[in-house]
Amino acid sequence: MQSIRDMKSNFSTPSCSIPGGPDAYRQGNIRMTLENPELWKSFHEIGTEMIITKPGRRMFPHCKINLSGLIPCSKYILLVDMVPVDGFRYKWNKEKWEVTGKAEPQPPCRTYLHPDSPAPGSHWMKQSVSFLKLKLTNNTLDQHGHIILHSMHCYQPRFHVVQADDMYSVRWSVFQTFTFSETSFTSVTAYQNTKITKLKIDHNPFAKGFRDEGTNTKKRANRIPASTEKKAKEMDYLSKDSYEDSPSSIEEEVVKEEHYSPWGPDREHGHHGQTDTPPGPDVRDMYNAEQRVPNPASYQPYRFHKYGKSPSPSSNLGSSNGGSGRASFESRVPDVATVPEHEASKPSVNEIRSSPCGPQPLAGHHPDYTGVLNIAQAGKPGILSHHIYSPYGTEQTLGQWSGPSHAQYPPPHHLPTDYSTPAVHHGYHHGNVAEWSQYPLFSYSCW
DNA sequence: TCCCCTCACACTTTTGAACGGT
DNA sequence: AACCGTTCAAAAGTGTGAGGGG
């Protein structure tokens, strides 16, 4: 059997490697920034855990983003999906995560559709976009359209911006994908790390009843051992800039990041004395997170791999910490979330599509936009009709859409992904269909 | 025995209907 | 009739801890 590491090395690593750095996608004007980065980082430092339940559980913190650089009058669809960070299953053992075996087979891939979709760029840009209602479940037979995950696995949310007038044109629409490494998390059915529990209680309004200083002190006092309570007090500083009342400025965050990076030097003597995230390039501003692929290296400072030849960042600590961490990470990461540079910068026939501003084709817009969005069908010569070839497959329904059903559209069916449709993978840029199947990009596997 | 999962529970916030005033 | 603000009950979202299954 091929080792996971080997499998991953088979990935053709597309443009997210971005030799030219952020510029490679700066040519596109779309910018996505994460709201409440401080809060996310607070969790990320400890090792974010997200509860998954059968009926579905919201994320906390929930994903909230800001968008800019969209064409105001063009319509866009926003999507979120979750990709596995690595191929392992974990267990919580004595204050740290350990690899306990190979990951379970991928559950049916689901993509959460933002309920406002489709909406003009101006709509998305005028305020932050919240994915509050996104729910995670471990029920593989879920009928509600929640995102299905395996417990004790690591995942990375991905945000997709699709330029499309409606749900049906999504198949041949252009899109761009963004990830934020600090949003990666471990799915659990019950919290493992008490520090995470504490953070959640302190910041989630629904959990107020469990706060020490809350009105419901009786319950907590009886349950929490004195030592735990002491620890909790130590973390009170986090409550002060609570997520609820301090929407942090992202621009400020960019500056702060360098001092406050969870991967900074002081992480070394952090809670676990383990740092697995490459410094340097990853001490990035939020814009640099654009199109970043799932970032296992940046995740889980506490993750401790003892399973086989672990791809754990800790295993390449020695080299990565010197600043080459990024490179080593790239070498083993399926760079699925991105579109090759050559395509990103290439005008495409696919741009010949109706514009929300009028019947003109997109190409009729400002040329600046030709590089803004990644073209789903770019690079395929002779594709003048979107119907001839669609990376999304014409036979697929929109069943994979998650999220509130839109009156305008048929209710989601949430059919399992048909990974066996190689045609949809082909004309794109990644030859390795199998790998795509394992780490599905929404445009291929979820529709 | 251990690990993981499910469930009922008490508590909270959110939502939306109902109502009254302008 | 339309709009706005308030009230209140129901719904939904939390973590906890007991209990069960493998």
Side-chain angles (χ1 to χ4, degrees), chain A residues 5 31 78 93 109 117 133 140 153 191 229 266 271 276 292 305 363 407 419 421 446:
Chain A
R5 180 187 285 268
R31 248 182 212 179
L78 261 59
N93 188 19
C109 175
S117 303
K133 304 209 169 172
T140 53
H153 288 60
Y191 289 125
E229 215 163 5
D266 50 342
H271 310 277
D276 56 1
R292 179 149 307 179
H305 299 258
Y419 293 140
T421 319
C446 296

Side-chain angles (χ1 to χ4, degrees), chain A residues 61-83:
Chain A
H62 70 270
C63 297
K64 201 173 180 183
I65 55 159
N66 287 302
L67 275 168
S68 62
L70 303 176
I71 305 170
C73 56
S74 275
K75 282 190 178 176
Y76 294 88
I77 286 166
L78 261 59
L79 304 155
V80 176
D81 63 3
M82 306 284 168
V83 290

Side-chain angles (χ1 to χ4, degrees), chain A residues 16 40 79 150 166 189 231 245 269 281 284 297 312 337 350 413:
Chain A
C16 194
W40 276 104
L79 304 155
H150 284 310
D166 54 53
T189 54
K231 274 186 188 173
D245 35 36
H269 47 81
R284 82 277 186 262
S312 163
N350 186 58
H413 302 114

